[in-house]
Amino acid sequence: QVQLVESGGGLVKPGGSLRLSCAASGFTFSDYYMSWIRQAPGKGLEWVSYISSSGSTIYYADSVKGRFTISRDNAKNSLYLQMNSLRAEDTAVYYCARMSSGSAFDIWGQGTMVTVSS
Amino acid sequence: EIVLTQSPATLSLSPGERATLSCRASQSVSSYLAWYQQKPGQAPRLLIYDASNRATGIPARFSGSGSGTDFTLTISSLEPEDFAVYYCQQRSNWLVTFGGGTKVEIK
């Protein structure tokens, strides 16, 4: 079945780095734009970044620009998020999501928790 | 950046009642507006895309309407499993934003 599974979350100190991964299955990964979306504890949804199907087009939210890098490996059906210079306000559940042709997010992973704390 | 404002923040209703949720955009998003449902401890689920199209498997009691800057999600008759938080979302000028959410709670 169509599935996205995130991994790589954990506890990291302020200023540290973490790399999240998202493994896709059940669909042709290389056909779709993919995105990272996060949700701080008790808060709403915040879009982080998306990447085009080929990887040639990338956009970031202002809150992470210059610190986070999204990438993908279509041969491995995988999406990544390299997070550097982490701050306390980056603490959140990070979801990977598939973007449908209508710019909606039609498939979501279960999320991976990132906690930035000393 | 386009700001999406959802109202009300909380809607207290009983099962069987009609729910009407609003999402207002700070500038036109044409019909590129989606709605999601999120229950505690779960990932969001796509309900409506392109303002009025139900996603696969979504019951007919969910409907979306609107265009430009004003959008509505209607749940015609609330089922017990519909009590959750609902978010709207748009993509315009290559950037994505979400509304702050409306919590539909049991009265």
Side-chain angles (χ1 to χ4, degrees):
Chain A
Q1 72 279 22
V2 176
Q3 194 173 5
L4 297 171
V5 178
E6 303 94 336
S7 61
L11 175 64
V12 61
K13 289 181 169 54
S17 298
L18 211 54
R19 190 194 195 209
L20 305 183
S21 298
C22 172
S25 59
F27 65 98
T28 305
F29 180 72
S30 58
D31 283 349
Y32 291 89
Y33 279 49
M34 297 294 296
S35 186
W36 289 99
I37 296 155
R38 68 184 180 183
Q39 187 170 37
K43 302 298 184 183
L45 301 169
E46 180 188 16
W47 169 73
V48 172
S49 178
Y50 71 75
I51 184 169
S52 63
S53 53
S54 66
S56 60
T57 299
I58 289 173
Y59 285 90
Y60 298 99
D62 286 345
S63 58
V64 306
K65 200 176 295 182
R67 300 187 299 124
F68 290 12
T69 302
I70 191 172
S71 62
R72 65 190 296 160
D73 185 336
N74 287 342
K76 294 184 177 179
N77 292 334
S78 293
L79 176 72
Y80 306 101
L81 186 68
Q82 177 67 43
M83 304 186 294
N84 298 332
S85 303
L86 283 161
R87 306 166 180 167
E89 54 264 37
D90 295 319
T91 294
V93 174
Y94 284 73
Y95 296 100
C96 75
R98 188 179 82 172
M99 292 182 73
S100 68
S101 58
S103 299
F105 301 105
D106 62 346
I107 304 295
W108 296 65
Q110 86 289 350
T112 188
M113 183 71 202
V114 172
T115 302
V116 184
S117 175
S118 54
Chain B
E1 174 183 301
I2 294 177
V3 176
L4 298 178
T5 302
Q6 292 188 241
S7 61
T10 304
L11 200 51
S12 299
L13 296 168
S14 300
E17 289 194 295
R18 182 184 189 89
T20 303
L21 288 67
S22 173
C23 177
R24 177 162 291 178
S26 58
Q27 56 186 281
S28 177
V29 299
S30 185
S31 294
Y32 298 121
L33 195 286
W35 290 93
Y36 302 85
Q37 176 194 69
Q38 188 179 33
K39 297 178 182 178
Q42 296 184 17
R45 177 175 72 145
L46 177 65
L47 300 175
I48 301 288
Y49 65 94
D50 291 349
S52 61
N53 297 293
R54 272 190 304 276
T56 303
I58 301 304
R61 64 180 182 273
F62 292 92
S63 63
S65 63
S67 65
T69 60
D70 289 300
F71 299 87
T72 301
L73 174 69
T74 302
I75 310 171
S76 59
S77 178
L78 283 164
E79 297 288 339
E81 62 268 26
D82 299 337
F83 292 92
V85 179
Y86 293 83
Y87 295 96
C88 57
Q89 170 257 320
Q90 68 80 35
R91 191 196 87 166
S92 180
N93 295 330
W94 304 107
L95 299 180
V96 174
T97 53
F98 288 90
T102 290
K103 181 179 182 179
V104 178
E105 65 177 22
I106 300 175
K107 187 174 181 179

